[in-house]
Amino acid sequence: MAQSKEMLKVGDKIPSFELPDQNGKLISIDSLLGSKNLVIYFYPKDYTSGCTAEACSFRDHYEVFKEYDAEVIGISTDGANRHNAFAKSYQLGFILLSDKGKKVEKLFGVPRALFGLMTGRVTFVVDKEGVIRHVFQSQTQATRHVDEALQIVKSLK
């Protein structure tokens, strides 16, 4: 399936969207803008080795992100129940959003990976005004997403 648009880039404003979190609560991205910088990372699937390593790395650095007024948000096509179990299994304290219809993935222009079968691994660092300040894309360097995001978040303070 072809992407509906090019991937968002540095300087672009993120689109408004709402998705259910791991507890089934509908989260509006607009409710977070203004008070927090955002680290929005798209990932393929809960419980896979790369995605688990990435999520645990975000978990291990979550307090530092919070010190720099940043909220971490993971997005995949997994459902809320699977996200909930994944979050509990690995004590993930940040938001996981369920994009089952790939609506937000398409809004951001996130490329598909593995012959189009799964979501690509892309991290967007967004300032409090909703402007993208950094984009990092790597399917194989899962934990580097955390290092890249943290470096940019620290520069936004």
Side-chain angles (χ1 to χ4, degrees):
M1 177 187 237
Q3 286 303 114
S4 58
K5 63 184 284 184
E6 280 185 33
M7 189 164 69
L8 295 178
K9 59 192 178 310
V10 172
D12 290 344
K13 199 157 172 58
I14 63 167
S16 293
F17 65 87
E18 286 185 338
L19 288 174
D21 71 3
Q22 67 264 40
N23 300 309
K25 179 183 172 200
L26 202 57
I27 302 290
S28 166
I29 203 67
D30 294 338
S31 70
L32 299 173
L33 289 174
S35 62
K36 300 269 185 206
N37 296 306
L38 303 176
V39 176
I40 301 172
Y41 79 97
F42 289 85
Y43 66 100
K45 195 158 187 54
D46 294 339
Y47 294 107
T48 57
S49 60
C51 297
T52 300
E54 182 178 28
C56 289
S57 188
F58 272 116
R59 175 202 63 204
D60 295 347
H61 294 87
Y62 187 51
E63 289 303 316
V64 180
F65 280 106
K66 286 178 18 183
E67 284 173 31
Y68 286 92
D69 292 329
E71 183 57 62
V72 175
I73 301 168
I75 301 177
S76 84
T77 57
D78 288 314
N81 289 340
R82 186 170 173 95
H83 277 340
N84 188 284
F86 184 57
K88 285 181 178 168
S89 293
Y90 295 99
Q91 294 85 47
L92 307 177
F94 53 86
I95 299 167
L96 295 177
L97 297 178
S98 175
D99 188 20
K100 285 183 87 92
K102 303 179 190 129
K103 176 184 79 170
V104 176
E105 177 185 307
K106 289 175 185 169
L107 283 175
F108 278 72
V110 173
R112 301 294 289 165
L114 197 64
F115 309 108
L117 298 175
M118 63 176 57
T119 304
R121 189 181 311 279
V122 182
T123 298
F124 297 87
V125 179
V126 180
D127 68 17
K128 293 177 182 178
E129 286 72 49
V131 177
I132 297 170
R133 295 295 175 197
H134 186 71
V135 179
F136 181 70
Q137 179 180 2
S138 173
Q139 206 64 23
T140 57
Q141 295 179 303
T143 58
R144 186 162 163 214
H145 286 258
V146 178
D147 298 333
E148 293 267 334
L150 200 49
Q151 183 180 344
I152 301 305
V153 164
K154 287 178 176 181
S155 76
L156 295 175
K157 182 102 178 170

